[in-house]
Amino acid sequence: MNLNVSGVTFGYNGKMVLDDINFCLSGGEVLAVIGVNGAGKTTLLKCLCGILKPSGGAVLIDSTDTARMDRQERARRISYVPQRYVDASMSVYDAVLLGRKPHMGWSLTEHDLQVTEDVLHALHLESMALRQLSNLSGGELQKVIIGRSLAQEPDLLLLDEPTSNLDLRNQMEVMNILNTVAKQRNVSIIVAMHDINTALRFADRFLMLKDGHIHSLAPWGDITEGLICQVLGVDVIMGNVEGHHVVIPAPSIQ
């Protein structure tokens, strides 16, 4: 799968939010979208999945313009996990199974059920399969919604702050699973994140947004203290712990 984002532009009420966004992504890659609040991260994801219609440019998957796909095809190929999700009256099992909807015919297949079981197992959700979503914690609900997207088996998976409600153990678990899915299934994954350390641990490349423009598009190895300061507006110190880049805010100058 190859994603080509060409000249995507979008604005709200006359205010430009995204201006001439261009990048490509191959199957198996994890791309972290980094920027301050209001930089356009969520808007970009919504433009990529079709929730918002860009005022200019195109989003191509394997040379096919997603704007020309019908809803069913777009749902089979692209999955989006938003920052916030409204509880529904259904069980954890049914919520994950719902991810199979774009692939279903008139009835469930053994494959649909097996995919659902595999996702529940991978995310350690088997014990709560019959619990209602309304009875889950914020972190548990977040894992279920991610599980539903994995059950969808998309070519392109978009996640907006997927670890924001998760404790450290579950953050590592979810990001490891996403990384494995990308590499083993050749899925392209784009993750909008504020946690620069988690992004540095799992992302292959970084798309740094600033004022609606791409400030830089770089592999994780090219991320520097100066670049982070330019995009996030804070001085940082970078170090290396057992092969992983680690970023901490620089001490205030007295």
Side-chain angles (χ1 to χ4, degrees):
M1 201 289 293
N2 291 295
L3 172 70
N4 186 352
V5 179
S6 178
V8 166
T9 300
F10 185 85
Y12 293 103
N13 300 319
K15 179 183 178 182
M16 191 66 67
V17 179
L18 298 174
D19 188 11
D20 194 28
I21 302 298
N22 297 275
F23 68 93
C24 297
L25 192 65
S26 300
E29 282 192 287
V30 178
L31 177 70
V33 181
I34 302 295
V36 299
N37 292 333
K41 301 186 297 298
T42 297
T43 300
L44 174 60
L45 296 189
K46 288 182 176 180
C47 285
L48 296 181
C49 71
I51 293 176
L52 296 176
K53 183 180 179 180
S55 55
V59 178
L60 308 176
I61 293 182
D62 293 333
S63 301
T64 300
D65 191 336
T66 58
R68 297 183 179 181
M69 296 178 181
D70 59 34
R71 289 185 62 183
Q72 188 79 355
E73 182 181 1
R74 192 182 296 120
R76 283 194 295 265
R77 305 204 67 179
I78 306 172
S79 186
Y80 170 60
V81 178
Q83 277 189 48
R84 298 175 182 85
Y85 179 80
V86 178
D87 293 354
S89 298
M90 68 176 67
S91 69
V92 168
Y93 187 93
D94 288 341
V96 175
L97 180 61
L98 191 62
R100 299 301 304 158
K101 185 177 179 181
H103 303 279
M104 288 180 186
W106 289 104
S107 60
L108 290 171
T109 66
E110 287 297 324
H111 180 68
D112 294 325
L113 298 175
Q114 188 60 58
V115 169
T116 301
E117 295 286 346
D118 290 345
V119 169
L120 291 170
H121 176 74
L123 290 170
H124 301 115
L125 295 171
E126 306 105 308
S127 63
M128 60 180 69
L130 299 181
R131 288 176 58 185
Q132 294 294 303
L133 298 188
S134 57
N135 295 328
L136 302 182
S137 69
E140 290 169 338
L141 179 61
Q142 185 76 351
K143 287 182 68 176
V144 172
I145 303 311
I146 291 170
R148 186 177 69 183
S149 284
L150 293 175
Q152 197 171 328
E153 295 188 311
D155 296 317
L156 174 63
L157 179 53
L158 310 170
L159 304 104
D160 195 355
E161 293 290 337
T163 60
S164 60
N165 290 321
L166 302 180
D167 59 46
L168 184 59
R169 181 182 67 82
N170 280 306
Q171 287 179 30
M172 294 299 103
E173 179 180 90
V174 165
M175 292 306 298
N176 272 311
I177 290 170
L178 292 174
N179 198 51
T180 298
V181 166
K183 301 302 184 279
Q184 293 186 355
R185 302 184 189 176
N186 203 39
V187 175
S188 298
I189 296 180
I190 301 179
V191 188
M193 305 190 79
H194 284 298
D195 187 339
I196 189 74
N197 285 311
T198 300
L200 283 166
R201 188 178 182 94
F202 292 100
D204 299 302
R205 288 195 293 154
F206 283 66
L207 191 157
M208 314 288 274
L209 280 178
K210 185 174 183 180
D211 300 326
H213 299 270
I214 294 181
H215 181 278
S216 61
L217 180 62
W220 71 270
D222 289 350
I223 302 302
T224 63
E225 296 170 348
L227 183 56
I228 293 172
C229 180
Q230 292 167 24
V231 174
L232 300 183
V234 60
D235 291 327
V236 298
I237 297 172
M238 290 187 70
N240 191 288
V241 178
E242 297 188 356
H244 297 287
H245 287 323
V246 177
V247 175
I248 60 171
S252 298
I253 299 175
Q254 301 297 327

